[in-house]
Structure formats: structure tokens, C-alpha cells
Amino acid sequence: MTVPDLTPLPDLIPAPAVASSPEVRPGSRADRMSYPRSVDVLRDLAEAHGVCVRPVTLRRTDTHTGQTEVIEVPCGARLAAKCKPCAERGRRLRIQQIREGWHLDTEPTVPVRRPGEDVLSLVRLRAHLEFERAEAERAAQWDQLPDLDTAIVEVEDALSRTGLRGHLTPPDRKAEERKKRSTKRRQDTPELPRLPVDARTVGRAYAGRAGRVHRPSMLVTLTLGSYGPVHSVRRRGAYLVPCECGSRHGERDELLGTPIDASSYDYRRAALDAIHFARVMDRWWQNLRRAAGWNVQYAGAVEMQRRLAPHAHFAVRGTLPRRLLRQVAAATYHQVWWPHFDELVYTVDGPPVWEPDRDAYVDPKTQMPLRTWGEALDGLEQPDAQPAYTARLGTIDPREIKGVEAGGRDTERCIRYVTKYLTKDLGDHAAPRGEAQRAHLDRLHAELSVLPCSPSCANWLLYGVQPDGAKAGLVPGRCKGKVHQRDTPGFTGRRVLISRQWSGKTLADHRADNRAWVKAIVAGAVDGEDQDQDDARPDPADGSKRYRFELARPGDPDVPPVEHRLLRAISTRIRWRAALAKARQEPPGPVSAIQDPGSAARAA
């Protein structure tokens, strides 16, 4: 048997064996149980080399040649509890995205192509059809309308296949009129300056000494207001200062984040603010852009505080006056125009029941149907109507606003500060560590379990209102929305929030840049069969036309066991990294696939 030469590959020198504990008799059951399990060793080794531990097997068929092969695609999990390598890869990609867009000195614009003659001819045909339809309506030739509508649909389908963005005309001619609410600001909220919003997204540059140009940016933390005093760590320099309770708390104290007086803590407002926190943040950025007068760009992530209230860290391109940031935060609010849900009409144990004959929920005692969602909204059309709830952002602590210089020593540290919890679930890093924190979570979760999270939430039945689109089987108190789950206490929405013009690229664009740079560096050093797992992803530009994909089951004859696939993937990754390291020591030539090749290597 010929053994291949593996000397160029790293990690092939065996480590010395670890001796058993002297207290354990060799060959005993305790001695055997002290050795690690093979499945755990394989998983740990795969995670150490960045190999997906839950690869998805796809069967790819080439429609041109008829060849079929089984490929593997990473699962793409975002949480480390599911797949640590994929989660870390996604976090590194977010770090690269924030790094490339934070201190841009030019606008991240994408040149728009001029329409071709094929597009213009279709638009001209669409214009003629619209003219003919209007003439047919004017002449009351109703028999011609179906044929004209069919031709219009065919032309618009052809336009959509050309890549034309948006709709040439509104999609529905008989769209229902949208109910409008007053946009007049509340009288109990401070006024905000309103300037014409300039289209620029790049912050101001400042001239320094010796002709040096400074283009600083900011790190801002948005935090909800207080619902009552909580136990917290207070420092004065290197010394601990007593909390409001009179005691000093360390970093691992089980009382941190819990209310000092649970009876006076406003759990209902805390739950409602958490539910509508995403909309409050959207309103904050709208107000900030109007007050600043330019299109401020941001990239950040939502985290959970120890008191179980969501807050967000944002990297902001450019600088703004701190006084303006605090003013906008104090004046930011979101009004919830839902039916009022101040008091419970029914209990979870005695909710309304579904009546199939009436196709509605009825009172269990009087058998009278509940108000429908439309009827409940009609009450909000009165001139003196008030919103069901008003969520406010509050004020920003001046210590939560930090200026960051481009290329400074704090840049990388701030980026990792923003993305440090992306691989964890929202409630994992604020998981209760003691009875006090567990009781605090129970009280908040009990409040969230009976509050409505959306117009279609089943909890509306507890307040005497049928949800929007009511149907049989709704159980109040057991809504499946993320708001009501114990591991995501109250927050709903996206964890990562990045504005559209942050870097001018999506995650797919950054991932493609990294692959192009790696392929250019390696330049054929790795065999075609030993490709990285990411290269097995279907190419959207060609795969939809040439290749046909289907899910391959683990029990299919052509699908090897997952252990064999993991072993081969580990070897592939080791060979690939060895070839990349060798190619970087002796680069074949200048490569400029992306702006920062080092970031591509880190993301790989």
C-alpha cells in the first residue's frame, strides 16, 4: 500500500498521550469512561477547523450533460448553539461589513445601467395597451377589457424578466384606501428641528495639523428608559460604590438587573416597550436624519440588558452634536394605534369560544359575538381618539456616545463590541443565574404572555376583540410569536440592523469578494475536487438555468454517512488553509478583488 506524502500539511505530529489518573485502576470502567467520546472529538475538531457540523446535502443535476453529484452546503446557522463554525463565520462577515462601511470617504453609489432597446420597446407597448384600455372604457366596450388586461399582464411579466426594478404601474387597480392617522406631534413631547435631508451619506471631514484630514465617526447606544430602580454595579474609578439598595455588587452578583422593589417595578410598560422597541428605533433614525439634514447611515445589533430590556449598539458614519442626539432621543416616540387593551375582559382559563355557525368567537356566557377587528378600529376614527400605547425611547447617557477615529486603536475594539453577542440567542447572555433573576424573568414573561403582539395575536380574545383574520383554534395565552417566548423576552424583529447605503454591498457581495480574493491568491494550488464548503453553494447566476437541485436524504445510497463527510471536510479545510498560507508567503502577483485582502482572509 502506498501512503501519500502528507508532510506539507500541519497538525500531523501526534501529541504525547495523557496518562490516566493514578487513583483510577487501568482497565476499569472509570478508566474507560475517562476517555473522550469519538463523536465529541470529531465535532470539536470540525469546530476547531471551521467546518460546518450540520452540512446540508444536495443532489445537483446538470441539465446539459445529465451528470448528477452530491454536494454539501453549510447549514448557515446564526447561533453557536446550533453550529458554531457557521455562526462564527457569519459574525466575521458582519465584522467585515461594518469595518468596510464605517469610515467611507466616498459615497457608496452603484451606477445605474441605461435601459436597452428591448426594455424601451416593451414600455412603449405597455403605453399603447394602457391607451387602448382607457379608450375601451370611455367607449363602454367592456368585451375588450379582458383581452387587454391579459396582454398587459403578459407585457409586465416580460418586463419583470428583463431585470427592471419596481412596478411600472400600481399592482392593483382597486386597492383599498389606506387609513391615515394624524402625523401631528404630541404636545407632551419636545419639538425637533426639521431640515431638508441631503442625499449625502458621508460625514464631515476636519482639517488637522500638518495638513492631516480627520473623518471621525461615532458609537451610540440606544437604551430604553427606567421602569424602577434595579441592582447595578457602580464604580468610582477602581472602587465599587454602593448601589441604591446600600450594598456593593460585583460583576457576578445574582441580584444584578433585578428590581430593588418588585412591587413598584412597571413590568407592563417594560413588556410593551420591548414589544415595540424595533419601531421606536425606526422612528429614531427618521427623526435623526430630519434633524441632522443628511442621510445618516448606521450598522448595529440589538442586545438584552441584565434587567431584560433590549438596547442597541450602533456604529454611525460621521459625527453629530451630542446635544442633538440627546434631544432627538428625548423626542422620539411611537404611537400604537390598536384597540385599547388596558383591562382584561376574559381570563386565560375562561376565554371566548369559537362558534362555527357564526364563524366568530362568542362570549362563553351570553353567546354574543365579540367585536371584530374592523369594528374595533372604527372606534379610533373619532377626532378625540387616543392611541392604545405610546412607546418612548427616553434619553441617552452621554457616556454611551463615543467618537471613533478612522484607523484608530478603538475601531476594531468597538466593532467587536457591537458584534460580540451575535452568535448567541437574545436571552442567552442575559440568562438568569440565580433565584432573583429567575423570578424577575418569570414576572416579565407572565406580563408578556397576555399582551397582544400583533393584530393577529390570539391574546386579543382576552380583551374582547377578535384578532385580525380570526379563525378556529386560537388559544389566548399561548401565542406562538417570538414576543411571548421565554428565550426572547419581548423583542421581535431583526438582531442586526444595517442601513441600505452603509457599504453599498450585501452579505452575498462581501462573501463573493472573499471567495474571489482567496481563489486569486491560491491560483490553482488546491485541486478542483478539494473545494471549500462555501464553494458548493449554488451559483444563482447560472444554477437556476443549468442545474437542478433537490434535497438528498441521509439514507440515500449515494450519500455517505455524516462522519465520513465530516472527516473529508476537515481534511479539505486543512489542505486548503495550508495552500492558502503557502500562497500568501509567495503571492503570484497583485490582487485587488476587494479593498482589504486581510479582512477576506480573516473572514475565510
PDB file of all heavy atoms in Angstrom, residues 62 69 102 105 108 118 174 196 203 211 235 264 270 272 327 339 388 392 472 480 484 551 595:
ATOM      1  N   ASP A  62     -26.840  18.299 -13.627  1.00  0.00           N
ATOM      2  CA  ASP A  62     -26.509  19.176 -14.741  1.00  0.00           C
ATOM      3  C   ASP A  62     -27.461  18.858 -15.891  1.00  0.00           C
ATOM      4  O   ASP A  62     -27.428  17.771 -16.472  1.00  0.00           O
ATOM      5  CB  ASP A  62     -25.056  18.950 -15.168  1.00  0.00           C
ATOM      6  CG  ASP A  62     -24.565  20.014 -16.126  1.00  0.00           C
ATOM      7  OD1 ASP A  62     -25.409  20.669 -16.769  1.00  0.00           O
ATOM      8  OD2 ASP A  62     -23.341  20.196 -16.237  1.00  0.00           O
ATOM      9  N   GLU A  69     -24.423  14.700  -9.047  1.00  0.00           N
ATOM     10  CA  GLU A  69     -23.453  14.581  -7.969  1.00  0.00           C
ATOM     11  C   GLU A  69     -24.057  15.130  -6.683  1.00  0.00           C
ATOM     12  O   GLU A  69     -24.969  15.962  -6.701  1.00  0.00           O
ATOM     13  CB  GLU A  69     -22.165  15.339  -8.300  1.00  0.00           C
ATOM     14  CG  GLU A  69     -22.364  16.821  -8.539  1.00  0.00           C
ATOM     15  CD  GLU A  69     -21.063  17.538  -8.823  1.00  0.00           C
ATOM     16  OE1 GLU A  69     -20.005  16.967  -8.508  1.00  0.00           O
ATOM     17  OE2 GLU A  69     -21.107  18.674  -9.341  1.00  0.00           O
ATOM     18  N   TRP A 102     -17.735  51.834   7.762  1.00  0.00           N
ATOM     19  CA  TRP A 102     -17.823  52.781   8.879  1.00  0.00           C
ATOM     20  C   TRP A 102     -17.199  54.131   8.536  1.00  0.00           C
ATOM     21  O   TRP A 102     -17.765  55.182   8.824  1.00  0.00           O
ATOM     22  CB  TRP A 102     -17.157  52.180  10.118  1.00  0.00           C
ATOM     23  CG  TRP A 102     -17.597  52.853  11.381  1.00  0.00           C
ATOM     24  CD1 TRP A 102     -18.449  53.915  11.492  1.00  0.00           C
ATOM     25  CD2 TRP A 102     -17.241  52.503  12.711  1.00  0.00           C
ATOM     26  NE1 TRP A 102     -18.650  54.249  12.809  1.00  0.00           N
ATOM     27  CE2 TRP A 102     -17.910  53.391  13.578  1.00  0.00           C
ATOM     28  CE3 TRP A 102     -16.424  51.513  13.268  1.00  0.00           C
ATOM     29  CZ2 TRP A 102     -17.781  53.327  14.966  1.00  0.00           C
ATOM     30  CZ3 TRP A 102     -16.298  51.454  14.635  1.00  0.00           C
ATOM     31  CH2 TRP A 102     -16.963  52.341  15.476  1.00  0.00           C
ATOM     32  N   ASP A 105     -15.018  57.530   2.741  1.00  0.00           N
ATOM     33  CA  ASP A 105     -14.829  58.928   2.356  1.00  0.00           C
ATOM     34  C   ASP A 105     -15.466  59.243   1.014  1.00  0.00           C
ATOM     35  O   ASP A 105     -15.410  60.382   0.550  1.00  0.00           O
ATOM     36  CB  ASP A 105     -13.337  59.272   2.307  1.00  0.00           C
ATOM     37  CG  ASP A 105     -12.560  58.306   1.419  1.00  0.00           C
ATOM     38  OD1 ASP A 105     -13.172  57.374   0.861  1.00  0.00           O
ATOM     39  OD2 ASP A 105     -11.334  58.483   1.301  1.00  0.00           O
ATOM     40  N   PRO A 108     -21.156  55.416  -1.332  1.00  0.00           N
ATOM     41  CA  PRO A 108     -21.246  54.039  -1.842  1.00  0.00           C
ATOM     42  C   PRO A 108     -22.367  53.891  -2.869  1.00  0.00           C
ATOM     43  O   PRO A 108     -23.390  53.234  -2.633  1.00  0.00           O
ATOM     44  CB  PRO A 108     -21.533  53.228  -0.573  1.00  0.00           C
ATOM     45  CG  PRO A 108     -22.278  54.164   0.302  1.00  0.00           C
ATOM     46  CD  PRO A 108     -21.735  55.541   0.021  1.00  0.00           C
ATOM     47  N   ASP A 118     -34.715  46.644 -25.859  1.00  0.00           N
ATOM     48  CA  ASP A 118     -35.757  45.662 -25.563  1.00  0.00           C
ATOM     49  C   ASP A 118     -36.678  46.168 -24.448  1.00  0.00           C
ATOM     50  O   ASP A 118     -37.901  45.980 -24.506  1.00  0.00           O
ATOM     51  CB  ASP A 118     -35.130  44.332 -25.182  1.00  0.00           C
ATOM     52  CG  ASP A 118     -34.145  44.468 -24.029  1.00  0.00           C
ATOM     53  OD1 ASP A 118     -33.701  45.614 -23.776  1.00  0.00           O
ATOM     54  OD2 ASP A 118     -33.823  43.459 -23.381  1.00  0.00           O
ATOM     55  N   LYS A 174     -57.795  48.337  -7.934  1.00  0.00           N
ATOM     56  CA  LYS A 174     -58.871  48.536  -6.971  1.00  0.00           C
ATOM     57  C   LYS A 174     -58.356  48.345  -5.555  1.00  0.00           C
ATOM     58  O   LYS A 174     -58.959  47.649  -4.749  1.00  0.00           O
ATOM     59  CB  LYS A 174     -60.019  47.573  -7.250  1.00  0.00           C
ATOM     60  CG  LYS A 174     -60.648  47.762  -8.620  1.00  0.00           C
ATOM     61  CD  LYS A 174     -61.785  46.779  -8.852  1.00  0.00           C
ATOM     62  CE  LYS A 174     -62.409  46.970 -10.229  1.00  0.00           C
ATOM     63  NZ  LYS A 174     -63.527  46.007 -10.462  1.00  0.00           N
ATOM     64  N   PRO A 196     -34.211  70.046   5.486  1.00  0.00           N
ATOM     65  CA  PRO A 196     -34.243  69.236   4.263  1.00  0.00           C
ATOM     66  C   PRO A 196     -33.117  68.209   4.286  1.00  0.00           C
ATOM     67  O   PRO A 196     -31.957  68.539   4.543  1.00  0.00           O
ATOM     68  CB  PRO A 196     -34.038  70.264   3.148  1.00  0.00           C
ATOM     69  CG  PRO A 196     -34.403  71.579   3.756  1.00  0.00           C
ATOM     70  CD  PRO A 196     -34.052  71.481   5.205  1.00  0.00           C
ATOM     71  N   GLY A 203     -19.863  61.508   6.374  1.00  0.00           N
ATOM     72  CA  GLY A 203     -19.749  62.556   7.370  1.00  0.00           C
ATOM     73  C   GLY A 203     -18.749  63.630   6.979  1.00  0.00           C
ATOM     74  O   GLY A 203     -18.018  63.523   5.983  1.00  0.00           O
ATOM     75  N   GLY A 211      -1.690  69.438   7.656  1.00  0.00           N
ATOM     76  CA  GLY A 211      -2.495  69.042   6.515  1.00  0.00           C
ATOM     77  C   GLY A 211      -3.221  67.714   6.679  1.00  0.00           C
ATOM     78  O   GLY A 211      -3.764  67.199   5.701  1.00  0.00           O
ATOM     79  N   ARG A 235     -19.217  52.074  39.944  1.00  0.00           N
ATOM     80  CA  ARG A 235     -17.786  52.246  40.200  1.00  0.00           C
ATOM     81  C   ARG A 235     -17.441  53.718  40.224  1.00  0.00           C
ATOM     82  O   ARG A 235     -18.033  54.531  39.512  1.00  0.00           O
ATOM     83  CB  ARG A 235     -16.949  51.536  39.135  1.00  0.00           C
ATOM     84  CG  ARG A 235     -17.037  50.019  39.184  1.00  0.00           C
ATOM     85  CD  ARG A 235     -16.098  49.380  38.173  1.00  0.00           C
ATOM     86  NE  ARG A 235     -16.121  47.938  38.230  1.00  0.00           N
ATOM     87  CZ  ARG A 235     -15.400  47.205  39.070  1.00  0.00           C
ATOM     88  NH1 ARG A 235     -14.573  47.821  39.923  1.00  0.00           N
ATOM     89  NH2 ARG A 235     -15.478  45.892  39.065  1.00  0.00           N
ATOM     90  N   SER A 264     -43.180  47.776  42.908  1.00  0.00           N
ATOM     91  CA  SER A 264     -43.305  49.071  42.240  1.00  0.00           C
ATOM     92  C   SER A 264     -42.685  49.088  40.847  1.00  0.00           C
ATOM     93  O   SER A 264     -42.777  50.104  40.151  1.00  0.00           O
ATOM     94  CB  SER A 264     -42.652  50.169  43.093  1.00  0.00           C
ATOM     95  OG  SER A 264     -41.255  49.921  43.246  1.00  0.00           O
ATOM     96  N   ALA A 270     -42.520  47.868  30.734  1.00  0.00           N
ATOM     97  CA  ALA A 270     -41.300  47.226  30.259  1.00  0.00           C
ATOM     98  C   ALA A 270     -41.604  46.225  29.154  1.00  0.00           C
ATOM     99  O   ALA A 270     -40.876  46.132  28.152  1.00  0.00           O
ATOM    100  CB  ALA A 270     -40.589  46.539  31.426  1.00  0.00           C
ATOM    101  N   LEU A 272     -44.310  46.219  27.103  1.00  0.00           N
ATOM    102  CA  LEU A 272     -44.789  46.910  25.909  1.00  0.00           C
ATOM    103  C   LEU A 272     -43.652  47.639  25.190  1.00  0.00           C
ATOM    104  O   LEU A 272     -43.610  47.664  23.955  1.00  0.00           O
ATOM    105  CB  LEU A 272     -45.889  47.900  26.297  1.00  0.00           C
ATOM    106  CG  LEU A 272     -47.227  47.272  26.708  1.00  0.00           C
ATOM    107  CD1 LEU A 272     -48.175  48.331  27.229  1.00  0.00           C
ATOM    108  CD2 LEU A 272     -47.859  46.534  25.534  1.00  0.00           C
ATOM    109  N   GLN A 327     -31.328  65.280  22.294  1.00  0.00           N
ATOM    110  CA  GLN A 327     -32.595  65.943  22.013  1.00  0.00           C
ATOM    111  C   GLN A 327     -33.506  65.055  21.168  1.00  0.00           C
ATOM    112  O   GLN A 327     -34.718  64.970  21.425  1.00  0.00           O
ATOM    113  CB  GLN A 327     -32.330  67.271  21.284  1.00  0.00           C
ATOM    114  CG  GLN A 327     -33.588  68.073  20.977  1.00  0.00           C
ATOM    115  CD  GLN A 327     -33.274  69.345  20.210  1.00  0.00           C
ATOM    116  OE1 GLN A 327     -32.119  69.612  19.857  1.00  0.00           O
ATOM    117  NE2 GLN A 327     -34.309  70.136  19.927  1.00  0.00           N
ATOM    118  N   PRO A 339     -56.774  48.799  19.103  1.00  0.00           N
ATOM    119  CA  PRO A 339     -57.829  48.916  20.125  1.00  0.00           C
ATOM    120  C   PRO A 339     -57.226  48.888  21.525  1.00  0.00           C
ATOM    121  O   PRO A 339     -56.215  48.219  21.769  1.00  0.00           O
ATOM    122  CB  PRO A 339     -58.711  47.685  19.857  1.00  0.00           C
ATOM    123  CG  PRO A 339     -58.447  47.330  18.429  1.00  0.00           C
ATOM    124  CD  PRO A 339     -57.026  47.701  18.164  1.00  0.00           C
ATOM    125  N   ALA A 388     -53.500  53.339  21.716  1.00  0.00           N
ATOM    126  CA  ALA A 388     -53.555  52.366  22.802  1.00  0.00           C
ATOM    127  C   ALA A 388     -52.315  52.443  23.681  1.00  0.00           C
ATOM    128  O   ALA A 388     -52.392  52.181  24.891  1.00  0.00           O
ATOM    129  CB  ALA A 388     -53.712  50.953  22.236  1.00  0.00           C
ATOM    130  N   ARG A 392     -41.760  55.187  24.193  1.00  0.00           N
ATOM    131  CA  ARG A 392     -40.779  56.272  24.139  1.00  0.00           C
ATOM    132  C   ARG A 392     -39.373  55.716  24.310  1.00  0.00           C
ATOM    133  O   ARG A 392     -39.173  54.713  24.994  1.00  0.00           O
ATOM    134  CB  ARG A 392     -41.060  57.315  25.221  1.00  0.00           C
ATOM    135  CG  ARG A 392     -42.451  57.942  25.132  1.00  0.00           C
ATOM    136  CD  ARG A 392     -42.679  58.951  26.237  1.00  0.00           C
ATOM    137  NE  ARG A 392     -44.035  59.480  26.214  1.00  0.00           N
ATOM    138  CZ  ARG A 392     -44.418  60.523  25.490  1.00  0.00           C
ATOM    139  NH1 ARG A 392     -43.519  61.158  24.742  1.00  0.00           N
ATOM    140  NH2 ARG A 392     -45.673  60.954  25.513  1.00  0.00           N
ATOM    141  N   ALA A 472     -60.601  29.413  13.727  1.00  0.00           N
ATOM    142  CA  ALA A 472     -60.748  28.452  14.815  1.00  0.00           C
ATOM    143  C   ALA A 472     -59.376  27.984  15.294  1.00  0.00           C
ATOM    144  O   ALA A 472     -58.415  27.910  14.513  1.00  0.00           O
ATOM    145  CB  ALA A 472     -61.586  27.260  14.356  1.00  0.00           C
ATOM    146  N   LYS A 480     -47.820  31.866  19.442  1.00  0.00           N
ATOM    147  CA  LYS A 480     -46.531  31.327  19.034  1.00  0.00           C
ATOM    148  C   LYS A 480     -45.548  32.390  18.576  1.00  0.00           C
ATOM    149  O   LYS A 480     -44.467  32.067  18.080  1.00  0.00           O
ATOM    150  CB  LYS A 480     -46.735  30.302  17.908  1.00  0.00           C
ATOM    151  CG  LYS A 480     -47.539  29.084  18.328  1.00  0.00           C
ATOM    152  CD  LYS A 480     -47.665  28.084  17.189  1.00  0.00           C
ATOM    153  CE  LYS A 480     -48.471  26.858  17.624  1.00  0.00           C
ATOM    154  NZ  LYS A 480     -48.615  25.885  16.512  1.00  0.00           N
ATOM    155  N   HIS A 484     -43.627  36.270  22.848  1.00  0.00           N
ATOM    156  CA  HIS A 484     -44.096  35.563  24.035  1.00  0.00           C
ATOM    157  C   HIS A 484     -43.178  34.424  24.461  1.00  0.00           C
ATOM    158  O   HIS A 484     -43.473  33.744  25.444  1.00  0.00           O
ATOM    159  CB  HIS A 484     -45.497  34.998  23.775  1.00  0.00           C
ATOM    160  CG  HIS A 484     -46.452  36.008  23.222  1.00  0.00           C
ATOM    161  ND1 HIS A 484     -46.988  37.031  23.975  1.00  0.00           N
ATOM    162  CD2 HIS A 484     -46.953  36.170  21.968  1.00  0.00           C
ATOM    163  CE1 HIS A 484     -47.787  37.764  23.214  1.00  0.00           C
ATOM    164  NE2 HIS A 484     -47.785  37.265  21.996  1.00  0.00           N
ATOM    165  N   LEU A 551     -33.121  18.002  -2.438  1.00  0.00           N
ATOM    166  CA  LEU A 551     -32.563  17.629  -1.147  1.00  0.00           C
ATOM    167  C   LEU A 551     -32.249  16.141  -1.129  1.00  0.00           C
ATOM    168  O   LEU A 551     -33.094  15.303  -1.477  1.00  0.00           O
ATOM    169  CB  LEU A 551     -33.555  17.978  -0.037  1.00  0.00           C
ATOM    170  CG  LEU A 551     -33.053  17.804   1.401  1.00  0.00           C
ATOM    171  CD1 LEU A 551     -31.905  18.752   1.688  1.00  0.00           C
ATOM    172  CD2 LEU A 551     -34.197  18.039   2.382  1.00  0.00           C
ATOM    173  N   GLN A 595     -11.196  45.662  -1.196  1.00  0.00           N
ATOM    174  CA  GLN A 595     -10.359  46.751  -0.704  1.00  0.00           C
ATOM    175  C   GLN A 595      -9.352  46.258   0.319  1.00  0.00           C
ATOM    176  O   GLN A 595      -8.216  46.703   0.343  1.00  0.00           O
ATOM    177  CB  GLN A 595     -11.243  47.830  -0.091  1.00  0.00           C
ATOM    178  CG  GLN A 595     -12.124  48.539  -1.111  1.00  0.00           C
ATOM    179  CD  GLN A 595     -12.944  49.622  -0.474  1.00  0.00           C
ATOM    180  OE1 GLN A 595     -12.905  49.815   0.732  1.00  0.00           O
ATOM    181  NE2 GLN A 595     -13.707  50.345  -1.273  1.00  0.00           N
TER     182      GLN A 595
END
